[in-house]
Amino acid sequence: MAKKKKSSGPQTIQNVEQTLTKTEQFLEENYKSLLTGLTVIVALVGIFWLARIYIHKRNDEAQSQIYQAERYLEMDSINLALYGDGNYLGFLDIADEYKFTNTGNLALYGTGICYLHLGEYEEAIDFLNKYSKKDKVIGSLAIGATGDAYVEMGDYEKGISKYLEAADFASNSFNSPIFLMKAAELYELNNSYAEALKIYERIKSEYPESTEGSSIDKYISRVKLLMK
């Protein structure tokens, strides 16, 4: 014979009432703290969204300025690209006036490239290092340009290091072989033929269909002769 299930109705109601009483007491005792916390959260969310709207607006303004600077850079009008023409800002002012925007960040890269062209290598390195490398392609170009600056200053070791870093950062069949070739050629200039050979063989293995990869056999043959 099945046992009769005990009724738990009154006890359950009592437990619920006790829980509600405790909750009410907690709310009464912590009302001000909870209200303050909620107010802070709402305020932070509001500030966050206002900041996003403001930065988005500033970024649009910066984009309207940087277009002309990029055109000047393409035309090799380096001073105009860097300092502006009186109507449009140059990379230097865009980077300064539009901080925290994507376009302001891109202007740091442009500034570094301009200084590199002007032969002001320490300034170039400084701005290229400030550029936040979110984009793989431009990021690798920035690292590689830093390598160019070090080479121009006679520091081949740092130049090679930056070229290899740029190749690894890009990890694509266009940028990577270019920087690997630069590193290998510097190793050759330094008579480090074994290191150069490793890089040439890496290009042949990893990027055979690239422009550099299509003619890499002659570099491999040359460096092997030099090693004898």
Side-chain angles (χ1 to χ4, degrees):
M1 182 176 178
K3 292 183 180 180
K4 187 177 180 181
K5 189 176 180 181
K6 293 182 180 180
S7 174
S8 57
Q11 184 63 41
T12 301
I13 294 172
Q14 185 178 0
N15 290 340
V16 170
E17 289 176 346
Q18 289 177 350
T19 301
L20 288 173
T21 302
K22 290 179 181 178
T23 302
E24 290 170 356
Q25 289 176 348
F26 175 81
L27 290 174
E28 287 178 1
E29 293 172 359
N30 298 277
Y31 173 75
K32 290 185 179 180
S33 298
L34 291 170
L35 184 60
T36 300
L38 182 60
T39 302
V40 169
I41 291 171
V42 171
L44 288 174
V45 171
I47 291 170
F48 172 77
W49 282 108
L50 287 173
R52 284 195 63 179
I53 293 170
Y54 174 76
I55 290 173
H56 182 74
K57 181 180 178 181
R58 294 283 288 170
N59 191 64
D60 288 344
E61 292 176 9
Q63 285 181 334
S64 68
Q65 295 287 332
I66 203 171
Y67 172 77
Q68 190 59 47
E70 291 172 336
R71 287 287 304 277
Y72 282 134
L73 183 59
E74 291 172 1
M75 296 161 57
D76 289 330
S77 299
I78 306 303
N79 282 310
L80 289 174
L82 183 60
Y83 300 112
D85 60 8
N87 294 315
Y88 292 93
L89 299 177
F91 287 124
L92 189 61
D93 285 331
I94 294 170
D96 182 57
E97 293 190 20
Y98 294 95
K99 294 173 182 173
F100 312 117
T101 67
N102 290 332
T103 304
N105 180 50
L106 183 60
L108 291 171
Y109 168 75
T111 301
I113 295 299
C114 286
Y115 277 130
L116 181 63
H117 282 290
L118 292 172
E120 299 182 38
Y121 302 120
E122 291 184 356
E123 287 82 358
I125 292 169
D126 182 48
F127 277 94
L128 290 168
N129 284 335
K130 287 178 181 177
Y131 168 66
S132 179
K133 301 164 184 64
K134 298 176 182 178
D135 183 272
K136 282 285 185 181
V137 175
I138 299 177
S140 67
L141 293 175
I143 298 168
T146 304
D148 292 340
Y150 279 121
V151 170
E152 292 293 341
M153 293 168 66
D155 194 336
Y156 289 179
E157 185 177 341
K158 283 188 178 179
I160 290 171
S161 175
K162 285 297 176 181
Y163 290 148
L164 294 176
E165 182 185 344
D168 290 337
F169 187 88
S171 191
N172 64 54
S173 58
F174 181 76
N175 287 24
S176 297
I178 292 173
F179 293 122
L180 289 173
M181 285 294 294
K182 286 189 173 189
E185 288 169 355
L186 282 179
Y187 273 131
E188 278 199 62
L189 286 174
N190 198 39
N191 297 326
S192 301
Y193 301 124
E195 296 299 326
L197 179 59
K198 288 179 184 177
I199 295 177
Y200 289 141
E201 289 178 337
R202 176 181 171 185
I203 293 172
K204 182 174 182 177
S205 172
E206 297 181 15
Y207 307 104
E209 297 180 0
S210 66
T211 301
E212 293 73 19
S214 64
S215 59
I216 201 65
D217 284 337
K218 67 180 181 181
Y219 293 93
I220 293 173
S221 298
R222 182 184 68 196
V223 80
K224 283 183 176 179
L225 287 173
L226 292 170
M227 291 172 67
K228 291 181 179 179

